[in-house]
Amino acid sequence: MLLVTAAPLLLAGAGSMHPRHLTATTAGHWAALHIALLPVFPLLVLGLLVPLWGRPRPDAEGVLTVLCWGGCLCFAAYYSGLDAVAGISAGVVVDHGVHGAAGRLFVVGDELGRAGAYGLAVASLATCGVLWRRCGVRVLPGAAVLLVSCWSFVDSHIFWPRGVFTMLGFAVAFALLSAAPRSAEGVRERGRPTKRG
């Protein structure tokens, strides 16, 4: 459980300390926070990858698993681009008094971030599809929270308050999705006939 919830919980905590606006006063903190979070954002996808762990089979589940991998790769690459451009670069140029550059960096960063968030949404849908096939309705609570979190993430980043609650939503969703296969397996075990000797 900790493996899938650690990244979103850490990001929620960081979001509560994230400056609301990039100014000359906050620029150093802005850049430093994004440098620290650069390796954390890609770990958000563990909540999607861990429940699907293993080699994809040559069937519909396998296709959805590979689609999940592609969406996770898209998220990791493009959302890291957002952090590098609108986080680190914009923070550094404002901290050094370079005027006019931050606005353009935000435009590029937002485009990268949206691409990454859409990749995460595709990976989330694919993961929910696989888990639906394996677990049935037990996946619905986690899937519902996950898809709402994906929708919110497109434009909330980790900014307080919505971005922080979005990250908490991811943590809850990942915990529920990770528990669904175990819950389904427990039901199958209870339904098997016992041997009488």
Side-chain angles (χ1 to χ4, degrees):
M1 199 68 66
L2 181 61
L3 183 63
V4 299
T5 59
L9 291 175
L10 184 58
L11 291 168
S16 66
M17 299 180 295
H18 196 299
R20 288 184 179 254
H21 303 286
L22 176 57
T23 65
T25 307
T26 64
H29 177 64
W30 181 284
L33 183 64
H34 285 91
I35 290 169
L37 294 178
L38 202 56
V40 179
F41 270 106
L43 296 178
L44 195 61
V45 302
L46 287 176
L48 302 174
L49 297 174
V50 168
L52 305 185
W53 202 255
R55 180 180 296 178
R57 300 184 315 220
D59 59 8
E61 283 186 22
V63 171
L64 288 170
T65 298
V66 171
L67 183 61
C68 171
W69 292 353
C72 289
L73 177 61
C74 176
F75 169 75
Y78 287 99
Y79 216 82
S80 294
L82 162 68
D83 271 354
V85 173
I88 300 167
S89 298
V92 169
V93 298
V94 170
D95 196 33
H96 286 85
V98 178
H99 299 288
R104 183 64 190 143
L105 290 171
F106 278 123
V107 170
V108 172
D110 285 347
E111 292 171 1
L112 293 169
R114 268 192 303 278
Y118 293 149
L120 186 65
V122 168
S124 296
L125 286 168
T127 297
C128 291
V130 172
L131 293 178
W132 171 264
R133 292 174 58 89
R134 293 179 185 172
C135 309
V137 296
R138 284 172 187 76
V139 77
L140 291 180
V145 175
L146 178 62
L147 297 178
V148 169
S149 298
C150 285
W151 171 80
S152 178
F153 188 50
V154 170
D155 63 355
S156 69
H157 188 51
I158 59 170
F159 292 114
W160 171 261
R162 192 159 62 99
V164 171
F165 286 108
T166 298
M167 290 300 118
L168 294 175
F170 278 125
V172 169
F174 295 157
L176 290 170
L177 291 176
S178 292
R182 290 191 297 276
S183 172
E185 184 60 33
V187 169
R188 283 193 294 271
E189 287 293 329
R190 286 193 298 274
R192 286 181 186 149
T194 56
K195 292 184 179 178
R196 299 184 185 272

